[in-house]
Amino acid sequence: MRQTIIAGNWKMNASKEAVNTLLLGVLKGMMDVKSEVIVCVPYPYLCQAEALTTHSQLKIGAQNLNINISGAFTGEVSADMIKDFGVEYVIVGHSERRSLYGETNKIVARKVQVALDNGLTPLLCIGELLEEKESGNTKNAVARQINAVIERVGIESFKGVIIAYEPVWAIGTGITATPQQAQDTHAYIRELLAQNDENIAQSTSILYGGSMNPDNVDELIACKDIDGGLIGGASLKPDDFLRICKAG
Ligand code: PGA
């Protein structure tokens, strides 16, 4: 039985005041939440987030990491550094990093490896572009993304990986994949894993991301192969985020 996981991705949205409001707002409703809840905050607020969430059910994640552990990499942040702030999870390969910062499938696979080697759980984001969807290439796109990681880290390592399927056309657009569209791709991703190891395929959590909100969460999460959500916009509104967390 896979536990429902809800992860918030604040992206580049925060201030000291907003972090207090958001985290305290979520924490006050956590007693009714059965899902595992992760909030991925921008680097400068990790210390504040750690202080606010210690001894709570709320787990902290980062949104990226560098493939190196230390050294002359100006402006970059390593796995060790984020771990210093109680971080257990890290988003890897978000479509914004792939499209805006040139992260290829190879780079993403290396980041998954670095996260795993350093005791972090990667939230591996995959998903097709609008053109790929429209040309009937959704399966090819997600297969390339998943297989690049399997080749690098091996299927066994997926025991420590959470996958987030985020169709790029659904991210931040208000257009959500229908439950059927999402379920079909989630089932395909599980099948890709099963081609390598059936048990790992069954135990791997596959979250849906892309305009998930309090109105569509129930029907998405009810799908057999959807194990939770990666939430962008709605994670910035504590009441909406809590409602999503309670859906599990
Ligand atoms: P969204 O973002 O919920 O605002 O669509 C999801 C994500 O980018 O992870």
Side-chain angles (χ1 to χ4, degrees), residues 16 24 35 37 40 42 68 71 73 88 105 114 119 122 140 149 159 178 217 220 222 231:
K16 280 192 205 166
L24 295 176
S35 306
V37 181
C40 299
N68 300 287
F73 303 101
E88 294 171 61
N105 283 336
V114 170
N140 291 340
V149 179
K159 285 182 183 153
T178 63
V217 61
L220 284 161
I231 324 297

Side-chain angles (χ1 to χ4, degrees), residues 47-225:
C47 183
Q48 190 184 348
E50 182 189 28
L52 287 167
T53 57
T54 315
H55 308 305
S56 82
Q57 262 174 272
L58 203 54
K59 307 268 197 243
I60 299 299
Q63 299 174 13
N64 183 29
L65 85 176
N66 189 268
I67 49 176
N68 300 287
I69 285 305
S70 65
F73 303 101
T74 303
E76 291 297 309
V77 172
S78 72
D80 275 356
M81 291 174 180
I82 58 180
K83 272 171 53 188
D84 237 359
F85 295 98
V87 167
E88 294 171 61
Y89 301 85
V90 60
I91 297 176
V92 173
H94 189 279
S95 75
E96 287 147 19
R97 298 219 52 92
R98 292 177 188 262
S99 67
L100 302 172
Y101 302 99
E103 292 195 8
T104 59
N105 283 336
K106 275 217 164 97
I107 294 173
V108 172
R110 283 182 73 186
K111 290 191 171 190
V112 170
Q113 172 108 64
V114 170
L116 290 168
D117 288 351
N118 289 281
L120 291 161
T121 301
L123 284 156
L124 166 64
C125 299
I126 59 168
E128 81 284 6
L129 304 169
L130 181 62
E131 307 87 88
E132 289 169 324
K133 171 182 176 255
E134 287 179 342
S135 59
N137 279 310
T138 296
K139 286 185 176 176
N140 291 340
V142 298
R144 274 197 304 275
Q145 292 169 325
I146 286 284
N147 288 334
V149 179
I150 296 177
E151 271 164 37
R152 172 101 204 178
V153 303
I155 189 69
E156 275 293 308
S157 297
F158 273 72
K159 285 182 183 153
V161 175
I162 297 171
I163 297 173
Y165 167 60
E166 301 201 300
V168 179
W169 47 269
I171 296 178
T173 57
I175 302 166
T176 316
T178 63
Q180 191 61 54
Q181 280 171 327
Q183 165 56 29
D184 287 351
T185 309
H186 279 235
Y188 176 67
I189 295 164
R190 212 176 289 291
E191 194 184 307
L192 284 171
L193 299 175
Q195 286 166 11
N196 294 273
D197 188 307
E198 178 62 36
N199 289 335
I200 287 175
Q202 289 313 319
S203 60
T204 301
S205 295
I206 308 177
L207 318 184
Y208 169 81
S211 300
M212 195 184 250
N213 61 46
D215 297 328
N216 59 31
V217 61
D218 291 320
E219 50 176 9
L220 284 161
I221 283 196
C223 298
K224 179 170 165 284
D225 289 295

